[in-house]
Amino acid sequence: MIKTNMQKTTSNTRHRLPLYRRAWFLVLLVLIAIAAIVCLVVFLVKPDNHDAASADSKSGDDASQDLSEQEVSQTNDGQHDNQNEPYSDPDQITPQYEGENPNLANDLSGNIANYSYDGGMLKINTMINQYLSSGTCELKVTGSNGNIYTASSDIIASASTSACYDLGVAVSPDTYTIEITIKSDNKQGIITGEISL
């Protein structure tokens, strides 16, 4: 019979996990990381309260005067001049990013966007640079042989511009000089062009 020497230990020895592998330690690290991210976001996105602090430090009359000036500058920002009226003028809705505001010009302007010739009918599409809710377009087409054709149509409004509605004449193939007279309220303008059919 084989005898085995087995020693019994009286000490209660357990295998110890290192600190970085314990669950509570990992949870603590995750919470610290989340807190650091939140603090970083709050610090970077924090609004500038400098104007509010300086307004509080002023006297009551000066602060109320400055606030009323700020309110006027915010309400009169060129987008809508009168708060009691609805948005009806595209000058107040559409900001102009380049050049002069065409709606403030003394004369109307535009161009021939495109044209089509089908079955002896010449149709001309225009773009008027100003926003016009009413008016007329008078078309005069002069051929190279001296033939003159005329037509008229109403002006229709688009988002921030206008156009002549359904402007066309029956013509034969030739080279034509086009003259479109635009009239609306007390303003007038002429769009010219030349096409070959």
Side-chain angles (χ1 to χ4, degrees):
M1 178 164 174
I2 300 176
K3 281 192 171 183
T4 309
N5 262 348
M6 297 195 67
Q7 294 181 351
K8 289 187 177 181
T9 59
T10 58
S11 66
N12 194 4
T13 310
R14 284 189 257 158
H15 180 66
R16 293 194 66 169
L17 285 174
L19 184 64
Y20 64 89
R21 297 186 82 197
R22 294 186 184 188
W24 65 267
F25 185 74
L26 294 175
V27 169
L28 181 65
L29 284 179
V30 169
L31 290 176
I32 290 172
I34 290 172
I37 291 171
V38 168
C39 290
L40 184 63
V41 168
V42 168
F43 178 73
L44 293 177
V45 181
K46 180 178 155 186
D48 187 18
N49 292 331
H50 178 66
D51 294 334
S54 65
D56 291 341
S57 66
K58 293 183 180 181
S59 67
D61 294 334
D62 292 340
S64 64
Q65 183 180 7
D66 286 347
L67 288 175
S68 64
E69 288 175 5
Q70 288 176 355
E71 289 172 0
V72 168
S73 67
Q74 288 174 354
T75 57
N76 190 7
D77 59 359
Q79 298 267 337
H80 193 250
D81 294 333
N82 188 350
Q83 296 295 328
N84 297 329
E85 295 180 11
Y87 288 103
S88 60
D89 185 5
D91 291 343
Q92 297 176 354
I93 297 170
T94 308
Q96 297 295 322
Y97 295 108
E98 293 181 7
E100 298 289 324
N101 184 347
N103 291 319
L104 300 177
N106 293 329
D107 297 327
L108 300 177
S109 61
N111 61 0
I112 298 172
N114 58 35
Y115 67 91
S116 64
Y117 182 68
D118 187 27
M121 188 69 168
L122 172 64
K123 292 190 178 188
I124 299 172
N125 296 319
T126 60
M127 187 190 84
I128 302 170
N129 296 335
Q130 291 80 15
Y131 177 85
L132 306 171
S133 58
S134 65
T136 59
C137 296
E138 297 172 1
L139 172 66
K140 179 180 175 185
V141 178
T142 307
S144 62
N145 58 4
N147 293 341
I148 297 176
Y149 305 93
T150 60
S152 66
S153 70
D154 292 330
I155 292 176
I156 57 170
S158 186
S160 62
T161 60
S162 305
C164 297
Y165 177 74
D166 197 26
L167 193 58
V169 291
V171 296
S172 58
D174 196 1
T175 299
Y176 293 99
T177 302
I178 299 173
E179 184 177 298
I180 303 169
T181 304
I182 312 163
K183 295 179 183 176
S184 179
D185 294 331
N186 58 352
K187 293 183 179 183
Q188 182 173 321
I190 297 176
I191 299 174
T192 59
E194 188 174 319
I195 59 173
S196 294
L197 303 176

